[in-house]
Each structure stands twice: as C-alpha cells, then as structure tokens.
C-alpha cells in the first residue's frame, strides 16, 4: 500500500471514530447513566472489580468456594480468565472511583473500535472511503446495539465490537497474504471474553470466508483460513469445555422450543430503516419493544440505487458478506431456545453489520449514474409501506409522523445530494458525501434519545461511586446470605444492602451473587434467581433442620450472618417479622431490612460442617481449591462428612471417596475404616483442565510461530495490500 492511500484511510478512520464518539455522547444528554443499566450494574462491573482485586493481590480468578453458585469462574466462561484485555479492564476497574464514568468510557471505547473495524471491513471489499465511514458510524447507532448491548449487555457489546476487526484481519490474512497476527490475536480476545454468541458468529464468519475462498478458487486462502480456524477452535475448546462438562449440575436447559420470548419477526425487520419503529418483540417489557430495537439505518432504501446487473458480476468478491448475513438472519429468526442458546434477537447486531457493509460496498461500487423515475417510485413504495408497517405495530400518530418525517427528509436530502445537477464540483466531494448521511444519522439519533431516554432493561439505581458500596452490612461476620429482592424496595435500599455482583465491592462474604448458569439444586432449594435475590420463603428455609444430618441448613452452609429484606406483600413464611433463632441475635433493624448474626461466628466457609457419629475431623489447611482434613478418630469403622462447598464436577478426594451430594449440592465424603491419623485431601480443578491448558498452549505457540515465520518471510517478497487500488467514489 502506498503512503498516500494509507494517510488517506487513516484520516478517514479518525473521522469515523470522531463521528462515532459524538454519536455515543448523544444518549448522555438526556440520561447520564445510559451506559450503566441492568447487567452492567448487577454483573459485569462486579466481575471486573473482583478480577482486578485478585490480580492485584497475586491471585488468578479461577474458582471461589465462598462465592458458591457464582464462584465457578471457569465454567461461567464470561469471567474472561484467559483474556488479557479483561484482566486489564479488571485492574483499572478496581481502582476506579466512579463506576458510571468508568463504564461509560469503556463502552464508548468499544463503540469506537466497532466503527473503525466496520470501516476497514468495508474498505477491504473495495467500498469507497466515504461509504465505509457511513457504515462505520451507522453500525454503532443501530437499535439493539445502542439500547441493549451498550446500555446493559456489555459482553455482547465487546464481542460484537471486536468481530469487524477480526473480519478485517482474517480477510487480509486469507486473500492478501497479510501476517496472521491481527486475525489470530483479535479472534483470541473475542473468544476468551466467553460470550458464546460472539464465538458462534465468528465460526459463521469463517464459514462465509471459506465460501468466498471457494468461489474465488483460492486454495491458499482456504488453507490459511482452515489453519486459523484450527487455532481459534482450540481456544474455544479451552474457554467452553469446563462449562460443557459442568452443565449437568447447572440450570442451563437443552432442547429446542419457542416461547416467542425475544424473537423478532419479518414485519419488524421490514421496518428496520424506520428510526421510531417499535416492533413486536416480546420481552420483560411486554409484547412490543418500548425502544426501536430492530432499527438498522434510515438510509437503507438507498439500496434501490444499486445496479444489480453490474453487481452480479462481482458477487464472488464479497460472497462472505452474503453468507454471513443470511446465516445471521436465520439465527435471529430462530426459535427462542436452541439448546443453551437463548434470546435470538441478541444476534440482530450481526444482521445489521452485514446489511450495512453490503450497503456500503454495493452503493459505492455499483450505484447507478442517473436516478430514474422507476427507482424513485420503488423508493416511495418502500418508504410508504415501511412507515405503514411501523405505524400498525405501534399505532402512535405522533411517533410515526415525527420519525417518518425525519427519515423521509433524510432520504430526500441524500438523493438530492447524490443526483441533483445543482450539487456539483467541490460540493460533491467524498468528505461531504460522507458528512451529509452521517450528520443526518446523528440528528436522528438525537431524536431517538429525546423520545427513548433509556434501555428497556432496568436501572436498579445503585450508587455511582465505588465508595457507595462499602457501608452496607458493616457488622457482617463470615458467610452471609441475603434473603429477598432488593430491587422492589426503591433506590434507598442501597444504603442497607446490595445485590448480585455488587457485593464484590463490599467486605461482606455474601453467597448469593449473580450467576447465569447457577447450581440448579442449590438455587432451587433456596429459590435463588440468577441475579442472586431470593423469595421470602428462603428466610425460614435457612433455619430448617436437614433430615439426613439433623443439622440446621444455615450451619451446613457456614452462614454466620443473614440479612432479611422486607417483602412488600407479606406472606405466612416471611421471616422478616420473626425473632432470631437460638444462637443468633439481631444487630440492626430498619423499615426494610433486619440483620441476624451468630452469637459465636464459626468462620468456616468451605470446611467440614458435619461428620457422622464417632468421627473426629480437623481441618489442617483450607483454600478455595483445596482442603486438607486430619482424621483424629473413627469410632465406628467408616465415617461420613459434609463440607460447605457446592459439589461442582471437578472435585477429587485422596484418602476418602466422594459421596452423593447432600441435598443434591453439598460435597460429601465417605471415609474408609482405618483412616485414623491420616489426611484426606479434597481438591478442585475445572473438569477437562489438562485439555484446557494444552489447548491454550497450542494456540499461543502456533500463533507466535506462524506470525514470526510470516514476518521473516515478508522480507523476501513485496508487501501487498488489497486497498491500494480501491476505487474513488462513483459520481453520477
């Protein structure tokens, strides 16, 4: 690539990122917490904080017995324990004073990466720089990305932001013989974030690129893609194998069913160019989305301007876009549950990406020179039918009129700019060709955020600053359990308690944290949701006597502190109004919460909590992944023991054997006769651990060796870049 095109594209990338930055700030005008909703509050930030805290103290976040159902980080996958970017984010998060500001900056950074990557992909398919920039900005303004992923589901935002960059790297590596380091490194980071939808879409991208290699009859490209796919496959094996082997005890279900939950339909997709369309997508909000969830871009009717006769001649050059787009669309329209995959609308961003890249490539390469009446008529038909369908889904005249006028005006301005004889010479430059649609996109985004100020997902109104998470439960001792749902008690409750992974920022050792997989038997026994809150019945359940051991459940769980939240709808089994049981005392009580603490805290999380009659056991040493137990006495030959640990697959025992889990979830040991004076060693490592370690080592070694070999070989041949001869914008 010559220096002039390189400098030109760097300027275009900078402009694309700059416009994206402006667009990403628009939501903050009406809602300064826009990027701190739902899962970012309840799940992601707590994970980052805990990762940073452990890394700072010299620990690697692999497993925590005290986090119970949320502590199997390898099986969770989304902790990103193999991901250097996530580890860095964790270190910064653990030092951040303001959580909302940190989350906002982080998400905007990913949006900028998304825009730059989309620009590069479009350019690699010979789109003009102006239309590549239009697509790069537009992809960050699509409805699902803005209102769901950016606002809340940050792991979805991360993998989607990285996929265009991986696409660009893979395309150059395959067809321009570029060094594979960009493709491999970006794919590695994407996969090890642990969000399975991103990995699935990367696999589909590989399929699309292999199809492109086949239609272009490029055996070399196919071989390079297959080798890259092998490396990425081993990384995926390392990330997901522990979760797959742990699945039998988790709450993840299998099978294919369709409840209609978070599944879009064709009518909604037909209005994807209407900025105010509220499609029929059933979710937690009801039957119709309260935000433009399926919005892609207002300028999609411009596809009418493409000369498809000419475009057919170059279809083999961008076959991957078509394959990727069609398969993405098929999965977006799939049943609500495909085994462990849920909520197919999550894949809408990938449909948007394919559509926008295709639009940029087709319009910049095959736009007709003159605008005919027939094409104007087709555009009018698309506009009228789209606006009508949008209105029928949510029949608000004000909404339909406002955004209908905005989008129609935008299309009219775009057509006028591209085809009017009055716009000539210096007014129809590439820079202005990009600036006009991008400016219209930003104006429309402003209108959207004036009408739809936040995500349809909840804002729990947790504190903005890290310091606001430290004063709750000041007198908590040892293992702690929080009964109830704090989110129904108003924002003032956060002075007394927290929820989900926000507890990682607090000194209390709370059991019921956020877990998307959950340990099924444990969660069912105590009616714990994936976010960690419980039903009111759990308050009394904790102090029931276990039939098998005769021990109180709170003792078996190593609980020394219990906080019970008020249930706004009191039930007969609501422990909030009870007095503490024997051996416990009440430390604080308010209108919304009461705290009970054990008179003599045991501080024995993860240790032996019950032994059979005649068995005298002593814990010699204990950590999250290993317990050493000395058998002092066994009066009746063999014996049994229970530990306050969830019986995750991956535990092994030396000097004893694993028994059936007590209550279906607590680790049990069968101790053989003759064990007096001997040690029992209980260890945990994620199932399939040797394969996991071997896969990571293989992937890293192949990546480094291949990249270095290519770097050395490039000195012996001239460097090539597919963008060196990219066409200028087509002028009518």
């Amino acid at each position: 690539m010559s220096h002039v095109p390189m400098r030109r594209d760097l300027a275009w990338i900078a402009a694309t990122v700059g416009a994206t930055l402006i667009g990403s700030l628009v939501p903050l005008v009406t809602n300064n917490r826009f990027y701190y909703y739902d899962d970012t509050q309840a799940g992601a930030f707590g994970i980052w904080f805990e990762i940073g805290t452990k890394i700072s103290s010299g620990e690697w976040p692999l497993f925590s017995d005290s986090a119970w159902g949320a502590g199997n980080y390898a099986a969770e996958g989304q902790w990103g324990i193999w991901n250097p970017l996530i580890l860095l984010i964790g270190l910064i998060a653990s030092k951040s004073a303001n959580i909302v500001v940190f989350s906002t900056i982080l998400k905007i950074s990913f949006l900028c990466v998304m825009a730059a990557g989309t620009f590069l992909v479009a350019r690699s398919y010979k789109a003009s720089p102006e239309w590549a920039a239009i697509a790069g900005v537009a992809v960050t303004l699509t409805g699902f990305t803005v209102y769901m992923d950016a606002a809340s589901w940050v792991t979805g935002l991360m993998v989607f932001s990285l996929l265009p960059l991986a696409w660009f790297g893979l395309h150059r590596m395959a067809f321009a013989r570029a060094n594979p380091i960009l493709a491999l490194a970006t794919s590695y980071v994407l996969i090890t974030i642990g969000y399975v939808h991103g990995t699935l879409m990367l696999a589909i991208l590989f399929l699309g690129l292999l199809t492109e290699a086949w239609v272009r009859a490029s055996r070399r490209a196919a071989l390079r893609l297959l080798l890259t796919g092998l490396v990425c496959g081993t990384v995926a094996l390392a990330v997901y194998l522990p979760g797959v082997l742990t699945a039998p005890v988790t709450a993840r279900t299998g099978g294919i069913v369709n409840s209609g939950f978070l599944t879009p339909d064709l009518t909604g997709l037909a209005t994807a160019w209407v900025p105010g369309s509220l499609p029929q997508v059933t979710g937690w909000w009801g039957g119709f989305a309260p935000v433009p969830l399926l919005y892609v871009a207002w300028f999609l009717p411009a596809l009418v301007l493409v000369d498809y006769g000419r475009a057919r001649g170059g279809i083999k050059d961008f076959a991957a876009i078509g394959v990727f787009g069609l398969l993405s669309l098929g999965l977006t329209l799939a049943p609500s549950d495909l085994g462990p995959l849920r909520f197919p609308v999550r894949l809408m961003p990938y449909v948007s990406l394919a559509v926008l890249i295709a639009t940029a490539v087709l319009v910049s390469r095959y736009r007709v020179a003159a605008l005919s009446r027939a094409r104007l008529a087709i555009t009018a038909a698309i506009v009228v039918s789209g606006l009508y369908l949008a209105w029928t889904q949510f029949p608000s005249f004000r909404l339909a009129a406002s955004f209908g006028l905005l989008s129609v005006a935008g299309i009219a301005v775009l057509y006028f700019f591209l085809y009017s004889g009055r716009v000539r010479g210096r007014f129809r430059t590439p820079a202005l060709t990009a600036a006009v649609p991008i400016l219209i996109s930003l104006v429309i985004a402003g209108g959207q955020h004036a009408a739809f100020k936040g995500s349809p997902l909840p804002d729990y109104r947790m504190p903005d600053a890290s310091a606001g998470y430290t004063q709750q439960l000041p007198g908590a001792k040892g293992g702690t359990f929080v009964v109830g749902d704090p989110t129904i008690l108003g924002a003032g409750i956060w002075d007394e308690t927290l929820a989900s992974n926000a507890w990682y920022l607090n000194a209390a050792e709370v059991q019921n944290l956020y877990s998307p997989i959950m340990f099924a038997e444990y969660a069912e026994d105590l009616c714990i949701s994936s976010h960690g809150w419980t039903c009111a019945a759990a308050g009394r359940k904790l102090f029931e006597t276990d039939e098998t051991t005769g021990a109180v459940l709170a003792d078996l769980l190593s609980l020394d502190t219990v906080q019970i939240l008020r249930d706004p709808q009191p039930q007969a089994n609501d422990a909030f109004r009870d007095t503490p049981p024997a051996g416990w005392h009440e430390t604080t009580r308010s209108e919304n919460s009461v705290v009970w603490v054990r008179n003599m805290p045991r501080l024995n999380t993860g240790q032996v909590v019950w032994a059979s009659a005649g068995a005298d056991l002593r814990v010699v040493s204990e950590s999250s992944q290993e317990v050493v137990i000395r058998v002092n006495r066994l009066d009746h030959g063999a014996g049994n023991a229970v530990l306050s640990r969830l019986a995750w697959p991956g535990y092994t025992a030396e000097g004893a054997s694993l028994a059936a889990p007590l209550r279906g979830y607590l680790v049990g040991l069968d101790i053989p006769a003759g064990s007096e004076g001997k040690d029992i060693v209980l260890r945990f490592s994620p199932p399939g651990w040797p394969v996991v370690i071997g896969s990571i080592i293989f992937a890293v070694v192949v990546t480094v060796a291949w990249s270095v070999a290519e770097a050395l070989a490039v000195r012996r041949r001239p460097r090539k870049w597919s963008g060196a001869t990219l066409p200028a914008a087509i002028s009518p």
Side-chain angles (χ1 to χ4, degrees):
M1 180 182 177
S2 66
H3 292 294
V4 174
M6 172 64 82
R7 286 198 299 268
R8 182 185 64 185
D9 269 15
L10 287 177
W12 275 104
I13 291 172
T16 303
V17 170
T20 297
L21 178 61
I22 295 171
S24 66
L25 296 175
V26 169
L28 302 178
V29 175
T30 56
N31 182 356
N32 64 354
R33 290 170 60 93
F34 183 86
Y35 294 105
Y36 192 57
Y37 271 65
D38 191 33
D39 279 7
T40 303
Q41 288 182 52
F45 188 85
I47 289 175
W48 300 331
F49 186 91
E50 180 70 358
I51 286 173
T53 302
K54 286 187 176 293
I55 294 294
S56 297
S57 62
E59 296 181 54
W60 188 42
L62 178 65
F63 182 80
S64 173
D65 61 325
S66 62
W68 288 75
N72 197 341
Y73 306 146
E76 292 271 5
Q78 293 184 42
W79 273 69
I81 60 176
W82 297 107
N83 190 302
L85 178 60
I86 296 298
L87 300 182
L88 176 61
I89 289 172
L91 282 171
I92 300 173
S94 65
K95 311 297 183 185
S96 298
N98 191 297
I99 298 172
V100 175
V101 171
F102 173 83
S103 300
T104 299
I105 293 173
L106 178 69
K107 292 180 177 183
I108 289 175
S109 299
F110 274 103
L111 289 170
C112 291
V113 171
M114 181 194 304
T118 302
F119 174 91
L120 290 169
V121 173
R123 287 289 281 149
S124 70
Y125 285 97
K126 301 182 181 179
S128 62
E130 56 268 36
W131 276 97
I134 293 167
V137 175
V139 77
T140 67
L141 300 175
T142 56
F144 192 93
T145 292
V146 170
Y147 284 100
M148 301 293 279
D149 282 348
S152 171
W153 293 346
V154 64
T155 45
L157 175 70
M158 288 177 173
V159 295
F160 180 56
S161 298
L162 291 170
L163 188 122
L165 197 57
W167 190 340
F168 172 69
L170 288 166
H171 193 259
R172 288 191 66 224
M173 180 274 303
F175 300 104
R177 296 180 61 188
N179 193 292
I181 187 63
L182 176 62
L184 289 168
T186 310
S187 297
Y188 176 91
V189 174
L190 188 158
I191 295 168
T192 53
I193 286 172
Y195 192 74
V196 67
H197 292 82
T199 304
L200 172 65
M201 297 314 297
L202 182 63
I204 288 176
L205 175 59
F206 269 102
L207 183 59
L209 290 168
L210 284 169
T211 303
E212 187 172 319
W214 175 65
V215 299
R216 292 172 63 168
S218 177
R219 181 177 298 178
R220 180 189 294 272
L223 290 175
R224 290 168 72 84
L225 284 167
L226 288 172
L227 178 56
T228 308
L230 174 63
V231 175
C232 292
T234 60
V235 176
L237 181 66
V239 172
Y240 296 108
L241 182 62
V244 171
L245 297 179
T246 304
V249 303
T250 68
R252 286 294 192 189
T253 58
I256 300 175
V257 297
N258 188 15
S259 65
F261 195 79
L262 289 182
T263 55
D265 59 19
L266 292 175
T267 302
L269 292 175
T271 64
W273 67 273
V274 182
S277 176
L278 303 182
Q280 185 174 350
V281 178
T282 302
W284 298 278
W285 45 76
F288 290 85
V291 296
L293 205 61
L294 302 183
Y295 171 68
V296 176
W298 61 272
F299 55 79
L300 293 186
L303 285 168
V304 171
L305 307 179
V306 175
D307 183 341
Y308 290 98
R310 289 172 51 215
R312 280 197 296 271
I315 194 169
K316 67 179 182 180
D317 294 334
F318 41 87
I321 303 174
V323 172
F324 181 81
L326 288 173
L327 292 179
S328 300
L329 178 62
L331 288 173
T332 303
L333 295 171
S336 62
D337 295 80
L338 287 174
L341 300 177
R342 301 177 300 159
F343 311 160
V345 75
R346 292 187 196 206
L347 298 178
M348 186 63 198
Y350 301 93
V351 177
S352 302
L353 176 66
V355 169
L356 288 169
I357 291 174
T359 301
V361 173
L362 292 171
V363 173
S364 59
R365 290 180 62 176
Y366 303 108
R367 179 163 61 86
V368 295
L371 184 59
S372 65
R373 291 182 178 178
R375 292 182 188 274
L376 278 174
I378 294 172
T379 302
I382 292 173
V383 168
V384 171
S385 60
L387 292 175
Y388 175 74
L389 289 174
W391 176 78
T392 59
Q393 289 182 101
F394 190 83
S396 163
F397 178 78
R398 179 182 176 185
L399 197 66
S402 300
F403 287 102
L405 288 173
L406 269 176
S407 51
V408 170
I411 294 167
V413 169
L414 178 63
Y415 278 27
F416 177 82
F417 182 84
L418 293 177
Y419 290 101
S420 173
R422 299 179 183 179
V423 183
R424 297 182 182 275
R426 60 194 180 97
F427 294 105
R428 195 178 287 146
T429 63
L432 282 176
T433 301
V436 169
I438 288 174
L439 181 60
I440 294 171
S441 297
L442 295 178
V443 170
I444 287 175
Q448 287 177 319
H449 289 286
F452 316 109
K453 294 180 173 59
S455 172
L457 299 170
D459 176 7
Y460 302 120
R461 307 304 300 179
M462 290 189 194
D464 292 4
S466 299
Y469 293 78
T470 58
Q471 75 270 18
Q472 297 83 0
L473 289 182
K477 307 290 184 181
T480 303
F481 196 96
V482 179
V483 176
D485 179 356
T487 64
I488 60 178
L489 294 174
I493 193 63
W494 305 128
D495 293 333
E496 303 173 34
T497 193
L498 294 171
S500 307
N501 287 345
W503 282 113
Y504 282 121
L505 282 72
N506 188 281
E509 188 184 290
V510 174
Q511 281 191 15
N512 39 321
L513 306 171
Y514 178 92
S515 171
I517 61 172
M518 300 187 292
F519 197 110
E521 294 286 349
Y522 169 67
E524 183 178 353
D525 197 22
L526 291 165
C527 58
I528 304 173
S529 73
S530 61
H531 280 67
W533 44 75
T534 78
C535 64
R540 291 183 176 171
K541 186 66 170 287
L542 289 172
F543 295 96
E544 291 181 357
T545 300
D546 174 66
E547 295 182 359
T548 302
T549 62
V552 174
L553 181 55
D555 297 345
L556 294 173
L557 297 176
S558 289
L559 293 179
D560 291 317
T561 304
V562 174
Q563 183 183 51
I564 303 171
L565 305 179
R566 179 177 63 88
D567 187 344
Q569 298 179 341
Q571 303 174 19
N573 58 0
D574 185 357
F576 178 73
R577 292 161 181 80
D578 292 350
T579 57
W584 293 70
H585 64 280
E586 182 179 298
T587 60
T588 60
R589 177 179 286 275
S590 71
E591 179 185 354
N592 289 318
S593 70
V594 60
V595 178
W596 296 344
V597 177
R598 195 185 293 270
N599 293 343
M600 299 185 66
R602 300 181 178 184
L603 308 177
N604 62 344
T605 297
Q607 301 180 26
V608 176
V609 289
W610 176 85
S612 57
D616 181 15
L617 309 177
R618 179 174 63 87
V619 173
V620 177
S621 64
E622 186 266 340
S623 67
S624 279
Q625 291 182 246
E626 182 179 279
V627 184
V628 179
I629 304 166
R630 176 67 51 82
V631 182
N632 292 327
R633 190 178 75 251
L634 279 178
D635 291 344
H636 304 294
N640 308 99
V642 174
L643 288 82
S644 56
R645 292 170 173 262
L646 288 181
W648 295 107
Y651 272 109
T652 58
E654 297 177 10
S657 58
L658 293 171
L662 179 69
R663 302 179 73 89
Y665 58 87
L666 289 173
V667 169
L669 293 174
D670 289 332
I671 306 171
S675 296
E676 293 91 339
K678 298 180 181 179
D679 288 345
I680 299 171
V681 181
L682 180 72
R683 292 192 180 92
F684 175 85
S685 63
W689 196 238
V691 176
V692 170
I693 297 297
S695 297
I696 291 292
I697 293 173
F698 172 82
V700 171
V701 169
V702 172
T703 296
V704 172
W706 187 9
S707 301
V708 171
E710 289 266 353
L712 294 174
V714 77
R715 298 179 180 179
R716 305 185 185 97
R717 59 180 171 85
R719 183 173 297 180
K720 297 180 180 180
W721 187 77
S722 61
T725 58
L726 293 180
I730 298 173
S731 299

